[in-house]
């Protein structure tokens, strides 16, 4: 696979999943538990996120067709959702704003929606439409490998970046996600206009 195609699929998904920004939340959830329990949580979270991602990857378009929604409709709506989420993350001051400590933290909220949330799911569907299944699947697998490595070494990553560095990285990722969302909206509108003219 062309390295440029790989980067064009890998980077948007990496930004959308924002595993570095999720790391402090993961550390907060796993304080005081054993190494075995922490590894089990990582497996549960990543497995749940991966299953949802695969289901959306192969079933997303069928659902859209059934509902009579075109990929450009979804591109515009998804872009608006991504833009809203990214703006919320940029303006949010609470590092644990997406926490939900009263649930099973392995599957929810660590797996869904912190690892594989609306931003990542929307990005996957757009990437499949634009670049095809193989590049998207390769990028998904690459990102999940990074997710596992980061979560297994979460304390070390947080120590290297520091609390301020982790927050700054999350804000920068949200800013790039906002720009990607605007691009999605622009592309969707342009294609609809071109189809209308044709």
């Amino acid at each position: 696979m062309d390295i440029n195609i790989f980067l064009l699929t890998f980077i948007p998904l990496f930004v959308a999943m924002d595993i570095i920004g999720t790391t402090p939340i993961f550390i907060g959830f796993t304080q005081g538990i054993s190494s075995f329990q922490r590894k089990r949580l990582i497996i549960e979270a990543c497995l749940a996120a991966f299953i949802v991602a695969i289901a959306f990857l192969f079933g997303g378009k069928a659902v859209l067709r059934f509902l009579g929604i075109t990929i450009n409709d979804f591109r515009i709506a998804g872009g608006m959702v991504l833009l809203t989420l990214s703006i919320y993350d940029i303006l949010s001051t609470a590092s644990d704003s997406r926490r939900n400590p009263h649930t099973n933290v392995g599957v929810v909220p660590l797996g869904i929606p912190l690892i594989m949330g609306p931003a990542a799911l929307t990005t996957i569907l757009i990437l499949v439409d634009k670049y095809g299944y193989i590049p998207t699947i390769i990028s998904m697998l690459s990102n999940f490998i990074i997710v596992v490595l980061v979560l297994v070494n979460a304390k070390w990553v947080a120590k290297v970046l520091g609390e301020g560095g982790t927050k700054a990285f999350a804000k920068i990722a949200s800013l790039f996600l906002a720009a990607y969302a605007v691009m999605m909206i622009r592309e969707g509108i342009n294609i609809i206009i071109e189809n209308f003219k044709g």
Side-chain angles (χ1 to χ4, degrees):
M1 184 176 65
D2 192 317
I3 186 65
N4 291 328
I5 298 296
F6 173 74
L7 292 175
L8 287 170
T9 53
F10 174 83
I11 293 174
L13 192 54
F14 177 79
V15 170
M17 291 175 73
D18 186 24
I19 187 58
I20 303 298
T22 302
T23 300
I25 301 175
F26 173 76
I27 292 173
F29 279 132
T30 56
Q31 285 290 345
I33 69 173
S34 67
S35 177
F36 174 78
Q37 289 174 315
R38 186 178 295 106
K39 288 178 182 178
R40 189 175 66 180
L41 278 179
I42 293 171
I43 292 171
E44 287 178 0
C46 291
L47 187 59
F50 188 74
I51 290 172
V52 170
I54 289 293
F56 204 76
L57 175 73
F58 291 105
K61 284 188 176 181
V63 172
L64 293 184
R65 281 196 299 268
F66 178 76
L67 296 174
I69 301 171
T70 69
I71 192 64
N72 292 309
D73 296 332
F74 190 84
R75 184 178 273 116
I76 294 170
M80 290 178 177
V81 171
L82 291 185
L83 186 60
T84 302
L85 290 172
S86 58
I87 290 173
Y88 174 78
D89 283 341
I90 290 170
L91 298 179
S92 175
T93 56
S95 61
D96 58 349
S97 59
R98 288 182 287 180
R99 278 194 182 189
N100 188 359
H102 301 294
T103 59
N104 178 1
V105 298
V107 176
V108 179
L110 288 179
I112 312 296
L114 289 178
I115 294 175
M116 189 53 58
L121 291 173
T122 302
T123 303
I124 285 172
L125 198 56
I126 299 301
L127 293 176
V128 167
D129 180 68
K130 196 168 185 178
Y131 300 106
Y133 285 98
I134 299 301
T136 305
I137 291 172
I138 292 173
S139 293
M140 276 177 51
L141 292 172
S142 301
N143 271 289
F144 271 99
I145 290 171
I146 291 175
V147 166
V148 172
L149 291 175
V150 169
L151 293 183
V152 168
N153 300 285
K155 288 188 175 180
W156 180 84
V157 172
K159 186 176 180 180
V160 170
L161 292 177
E163 185 177 351
T166 305
K167 288 180 180 179
F169 188 93
K171 299 296 181 183
I172 292 170
S174 295
L175 183 60
F176 276 102
L177 189 60
Y180 186 72
V182 171
M183 183 270 292
M184 287 169 55
I185 296 170
R186 173 175 51 79
E187 282 190 350
I189 292 174
N190 286 340
I191 294 172
I192 289 174
I193 291 174
E194 287 175 7
N195 291 340
F196 181 76
K197 288 180 179 178

